[in-house]
Amino acid sequence: MGLLDGLKSVLGVKAEADATRDADPDDLFGMSTAYVTMEADLGYEPTGEAALCFADVDSTDFQDAVDEVESILDAGMVETGTRATFETDDHGYQWVVLHDDDFEDLLTSIHFAADTLVERRYGSRLLAALFAFEHARENQTVYWVYSFRRGAYYPFAPDPHDSHERNTSAEFKLDSNLSDEITVEGDKEYWYPLWPDRPGYHPWE
């Protein structure tokens, strides 16, 4: 599995250089109303999947922090049913992938995971959170990507007919319809594409 060839530069080194603020997981809660608009006004339904991407640190303390995240999510699964899997991509980045048909549970779980890393002083390792949506009639999957380094969301819509082209009209439509509900990255230079390795898969696969 993996992300895109340029992930290390766009979400890692370059994003750190262009960071505008410290990571604040509370920003994620803007999606709690935005997903309703996505479904009611635009026809995009949550896929039941979301993911948190972060950079690894070769230390026992960091591994303890990741283990704490896993323990919190395991405990939460009993109450919410949110299932979490932990993956490492080909670039060495780690992913917490969450599965739940209840979007609010997804959002709460991904906030818990991010907030735990911040509390353990690893907020600078957080890269992005992704929320997946699909429009069945248009056969279009889109993502709202939250950049912890930039403190803003941006839309990413892979073209369903071309694995490495973007549906820019869908992205601009998402931007115009959701910019009043969530903070959208104003500089489109930072709307980084997160290509999956294979067509039809998510970026974290």
Side-chain angles (χ1 to χ4, degrees):
M1 64 171 293
L3 257 175
L4 67 164
D5 292 339
L7 175 62
K8 190 169 185 177
S9 63
V10 301
L11 285 184
V13 177
K14 188 177 190 304
E16 187 167 4
D18 293 329
T20 57
R21 53 180 293 183
D22 293 335
D24 185 355
D26 287 350
D27 291 342
L28 296 171
F29 285 125
M31 194 54 62
S32 64
T33 58
Y35 88 93
V36 177
T37 301
M38 288 283 289
E39 186 169 1
D41 295 353
L42 301 177
Y44 284 99
E45 297 185 0
T47 66
E49 296 166 296
L52 181 71
C53 181
F54 55 93
D56 199 3
V57 178
D58 187 14
S59 77
T60 301
D61 186 68
F62 181 74
Q63 186 56 53
D64 288 344
V66 174
D67 290 344
E68 183 178 342
V69 169
E70 186 169 5
S71 296
I72 289 173
L73 293 176
D74 284 345
M77 182 175 67
V78 176
E79 180 178 348
T80 66
T82 305
R83 182 170 57 90
T85 57
F86 288 71
E87 308 286 350
T88 301
D89 67 31
D90 293 338
H91 303 280
Y93 290 100
Q94 295 198 41
W95 289 87
V96 181
V97 184
L98 301 167
H99 311 267
D100 196 318
D101 290 335
D102 187 315
F103 190 86
E104 293 289 347
D105 288 344
L106 274 181
L107 186 56
T108 298
S109 296
I110 207 167
H111 176 270
F112 274 139
D115 198 48
T116 299
L117 290 178
V118 169
E119 289 181 352
R120 291 291 298 265
R121 301 183 303 280
Y122 291 109
S124 64
R125 310 310 292 174
L126 291 168
L127 300 177
L130 279 69
F131 299 94
F133 299 84
E134 61 184 359
H135 197 300
R137 183 170 56 82
E138 297 179 1
N139 188 32
Q140 176 70 65
T141 299
V142 301
Y143 303 89
W144 276 108
V145 183
Y146 178 77
S147 169
F148 287 96
R149 302 282 174 79
R150 299 287 297 175
Y153 282 94
Y154 66 88
F156 173 51
D159 190 316
H161 306 295
D162 191 318
S163 60
H164 278 75
E165 292 292 334
R166 301 172 76 159
N167 184 341
T168 54
S169 63
E171 292 179 355
F172 292 150
K173 185 175 182 179
L174 291 173
D175 178 18
S176 64
N177 280 271
L178 275 297
S179 58
D180 289 337
E181 297 190 44
I182 55 176
T183 301
V184 179
E185 172 62 58
D187 188 343
K188 293 180 176 55
E189 177 184 351
Y190 296 100
W191 288 19
Y192 299 126
L194 304 181
W195 303 118
D197 279 350
R198 294 160 290 177
Y201 284 74
H202 292 301
W204 52 82
E205 296 177 300

